[in-house]
Amino acid sequence: MAIGNIYLISTIAIIGGGLFGFDISSMSAIIVTPQYKCYFNQGSVTAGTDDTYPYPTCAGPNSDVQGGITASMAGGSWLGALVSGILSDRLGRKKAIMIGSCIWLIGSTIICASQNIPMLIVGRIINGFCVGICSAQVPVYIAEVAPPSKRGRLIGAQQWAITWGILIMFYISYGCSFINGTAAFRLPWGLQMIPAIILFVGMIPLPESPRWLARKDRWEDCSAVLTLVHGKGDPNSPFVRAEMQDIRDMCEFERNNSDVTYRELFEPHMLNRLHIGLFTQIWSQMTGMNVMMYYISYIFEMAGLNGNNLLVSSSIQYVINVLMTIPALIWVDRWGRRPTLLIGAFFMMVWLFCNAGLLAGYGHYAGPDGVNGDAEASWVVHGAPAKGVIACSYLFVASYAPTWGPVSWTYPPELYPLRVRGKAVALATSANWAFNFALGYFVPPAFVNIKWRTYLIFAVFCFTMFWHVFFMFPETAGKTLEEVEYIFTDPNGIKYIGTPAWKTKVDTSRAVKLEQGELQDEKRLPSISHAEDAAAVADTSLSADPEKTAATAQESR
């Protein structure tokens, strides 16, 4: 029997996001352990000195090779995200996620059995392919199943699953670091198969996306899912009937006006929202957050921490990440997307500039071998400034977790019409992974070569994204997916852009009334007919006379 509780549906689906978190910690907690560094060593080796530290001291993989190992997962994710749109549109959102979980099992098996660096990289690429599929299609699936007043928190829960995956895997890896031999890293790499098994089994009783079913002309199934999830078993629920009609109208309009291809995303009337979705994911990477996740051990080594203190202090930021994501899950639909992104960009910029200033003003070069033999830890700072670096790192995570973390997953699926949603979100997510790959590969050599200036680069990115969001990112909170379409097709707005972003507002209270059936049908969706007319005008404007097109748009209102 299918599950109809939207919170349970989301809880199972977001395990797909948790796989990404497991991958992050499976690197960040292990790359500084002697077992890993000696098994995959490419540099010098010094024998252990006494019984308290019996391990030899190994240089580990070269900085560019370690960057490649870390980035290989993101490379696979980029490809997986691109493929996921086609897979999801053909087989369904649910089946795409289940296929991703099976791919994860294959990749984890190869990683766990890795005999050398190339084998490790191949396994991580395969795992990345899974993460690409799940990270792109889990938000689409939840967006198409969830009611508008809860959509933000439910999609944003994927980020919370990522933070839990990071935290759980970090402590598993930390505990295994006390094991002698290769089991110290093989055991955690093997255990990360468990959530994929849970995801696959858990997805079996979940319903398919009603909007995907509608697009495949499976109207009875679509109605059954809406009744189960939104109507609590009542097919005559006002919200179910209203939503069913909206989906039917939009599907009919899209079927008569467009073929679904990636090319359509680059048409003038779609280009603005494509760029918004892409940059939502790109900026989430350019904040530098995943750098903090993957390479926090190097940063804290520069601040004078080592051994168990290093790993335990690193884990605190993962706890902060989990806890500070909770406010967004509760209030993001009330706050709205725009204010959340703006506040996050501002405070992250502040903490990054602070870290750069502390390292530049009070630190010094650690020498070609870096701190504790890690060339990536190329700068060292002591005393109160070192504590300041640690504090600013924690505050940076606390600023990202309730803002760009969840909203970067929530926002893109809300931007696009049904006919291109799967492919558009896949393309946006692929941009995330492309930049994740680039940064994962770039950061270790950056720490070696430009040292503390690495922080300045990310601080400038945060400054830039603040103004980009202010001028170009419209508010989508509290609106149905069909209503969001009107923002971009508003005939009274800017051509090919729609309603100016700074004029859009949060409308959660109206969404709640809509779901409770308190709005009359004629007042419920005043914008849908205008969205259809305006979209039709946008399509014909490519070949029509501009003055005639404008007149037609005015008449349609």
Side-chain angles (χ1 to χ4, degrees):
M1 183 176 180
I3 294 173
N5 185 294
I6 188 61
Y7 291 103
L8 183 56
I9 291 171
S10 300
T11 299
I12 295 172
I14 61 175
I15 295 175
L19 298 179
F20 176 32
F22 268 69
D23 177 83
I24 289 176
S25 283
S26 71
M27 269 291 111
S28 64
I30 287 174
I31 58 176
V32 295
T33 61
Q35 298 94 320
Y36 170 86
K37 292 168 75 173
C38 288
Y39 190 83
F40 297 104
N41 184 50
Q42 292 182 308
S44 60
V45 180
T46 303
T49 56
D50 53 50
D51 293 337
T52 61
Y53 193 82
Y55 306 110
T57 300
C58 304
N62 298 331
S63 61
D64 57 341
V65 174
Q66 182 57 57
I69 293 172
T70 303
S72 59
M73 190 278 295
S77 298
W78 171 78
L79 182 59
L82 284 179
V83 171
S84 72
I86 300 171
L87 192 67
S88 174
D89 285 346
R90 290 186 179 180
L91 301 181
R93 320 307 193 203
K94 173 181 170 179
K95 288 182 180 178
I97 296 169
M98 295 175 73
I99 290 172
S101 65
C102 294
I103 294 172
W104 178 269
L105 296 176
I106 297 171
S108 295
T109 301
I110 295 173
I111 292 172
C112 182
S114 293
Q115 300 299 305
N116 48 47
I117 290 175
M119 188 173 177
L120 175 60
I121 290 175
V122 169
R124 285 180 58 76
I125 290 173
I126 295 174
N127 264 13
F129 196 82
C130 157
V131 172
I133 293 173
C134 291
S135 63
Q137 298 309 315
V138 167
V140 172
Y141 174 69
I142 296 176
E144 294 183 347
V145 174
S149 67
K150 300 180 178 69
R151 190 174 62 237
R153 75 181 67 166
L154 294 175
I155 301 175
Q158 165 153 304
Q159 177 64 21
W160 202 38
I162 293 173
T163 65
W164 272 109
I166 294 171
L167 182 65
I168 293 170
M169 190 61 177
F170 187 92
Y171 281 117
I172 290 175
S173 300
Y174 173 69
C176 292
S177 69
F178 295 98
I179 300 174
N180 293 329
T182 60
F185 55 83
R186 295 195 191 280
L187 181 57
W189 286 350
L191 290 175
Q192 65 183 357
M193 288 188 276
I194 294 175
I197 297 172
I198 296 173
L199 175 62
F200 181 87
V201 175
M203 288 296 297
I204 294 174
L206 299 193
E208 181 54 88
S209 159
R211 287 170 170 84
W212 182 85
L213 291 169
R215 200 164 180 284
K216 297 297 182 180
D217 288 326
R218 294 169 57 180
W219 293 104
E220 291 185 3
D221 292 335
C222 173
S223 178
V225 173
L226 290 175
T227 300
L228 177 68
V229 179
H230 294 174
K232 298 180 180 179
D234 179 12
N236 296 316
S237 164
F239 181 52
V240 170
R241 287 190 287 109
E243 194 171 19
M244 188 70 181
Q245 188 59 48
D246 289 344
I247 295 173
R248 190 181 298 276
D249 290 345
M250 191 59 72
C251 284
E252 185 64 25
F253 168 71
E254 293 180 350
R255 186 176 289 110
N256 293 335
N257 285 274
S258 288
D259 294 324
V260 182
T261 64
Y262 273 113
R263 181 180 177 182
E264 184 185 353
L265 295 173
F266 295 91
E267 297 288 350
H269 68 280
M270 196 67 69
L271 202 56
N272 178 48
R273 66 182 96 182
L274 174 65
H275 116 269
I276 294 172
L278 286 171
F279 270 93
T280 301
Q281 293 285 12
I282 290 170
W283 286 136
S284 73
Q285 288 297 324
M286 300 306 246
T287 62
M289 179 58 174
N290 278 339
V291 174
M292 301 292 286
M293 294 290 105
Y294 281 122
Y295 300 121
I296 188 64
S297 299
Y298 294 151
I299 296 168
F300 282 2
E301 273 188 317
M302 296 186 217
L305 299 178
N306 55 63
N308 286 336
N309 287 337
L310 171 62
L311 291 176
V312 173
S313 298
S314 299
S315 72
I316 293 174
Q317 75 157 358
Y318 302 136
V319 176
I320 294 172
N321 200 15
V322 170
L323 295 179
M324 290 303 295
T325 303
I326 296 174
L329 302 182
I330 299 173
W331 292 301
V332 71
D333 286 309
R334 293 181 180 272
W335 295 343
R337 317 301 187 235
R338 277 173 55 80
T340 304
L341 294 175
L342 290 169
I343 291 170
F346 175 80
F347 280 106
M348 285 187 291
M349 176 188 68
V350 170
W351 307 129
L352 288 167
F353 274 128
C354 287
N355 258 353
L358 288 169
L359 289 170
Y362 298 97
H364 60 85
Y365 180 49
D369 294 329
V371 180
N372 299 328
D374 287 322
E376 294 83 359
S378 58
W379 205 257
V380 63
V381 62
H382 298 289
K387 295 178 181 178
V389 169
I390 295 172
C392 286
S393 298
Y394 290 154
L395 289 169
F396 174 87
V397 173
S399 300
Y400 176 91
T403 58
W404 280 86
V407 176
S408 64
W409 298 112
T410 300
Y411 197 49
E414 299 177 321
L415 300 174
Y416 307 103
L418 174 61
R419 67 182 180 274
V420 296
R421 187 173 296 132
K423 289 183 172 65
V425 174
L427 188 61
T429 306
S430 74
N432 177 301
W433 294 115
F435 279 79
N436 187 306
F437 173 84
L439 292 176
Y441 193 81
F442 158 80
V443 168
F447 277 141
V448 173
N449 294 300
I450 62 174
K451 306 168 182 66
W452 59 269
R453 297 174 186 84
T454 305
Y455 279 103
L456 290 180
I457 294 175
F458 291 111
V460 171
F461 285 143
C462 288
F463 174 83
T464 306
M465 72 182 68
F466 178 93
W467 293 108
H468 190 193
V469 170
F470 181 83
F471 286 112
M472 298 303 299
F473 286 40
E475 184 57 68
T476 58
K479 299 174 177 64
T480 67
L481 296 177
E482 288 71 30
E483 287 176 308
V484 172
E485 178 76 3
Y486 178 68
I487 295 175
F488 295 100
T489 58
D490 181 3
N492 291 335
I494 303 170
K495 187 176 181 181
Y496 298 139
I497 292 179
T499 306
W502 59 88
K503 291 185 178 181
T504 55
K505 306 296 181 183
V506 181
D507 204 5
T508 302
S509 60
R510 181 180 174 279
V512 172
K513 292 180 181 179
L514 171 62
E515 292 165 21
Q516 295 174 350
E518 296 178 9
L519 295 180
Q520 297 296 323
D521 283 351
E522 64 270 16
K523 297 180 180 179
R524 182 181 49 80
L525 284 175
S527 61
I528 288 297
S529 62
H530 297 315
E532 295 178 358
D533 292 340
V537 169
D539 287 338
T540 58
S541 67
L542 297 178
S543 58
D545 178 74
E547 294 182 2
K548 182 178 178 181
T549 297
T552 304
Q554 185 63 34
E555 290 172 6
S556 70
R557 292 185 60 80

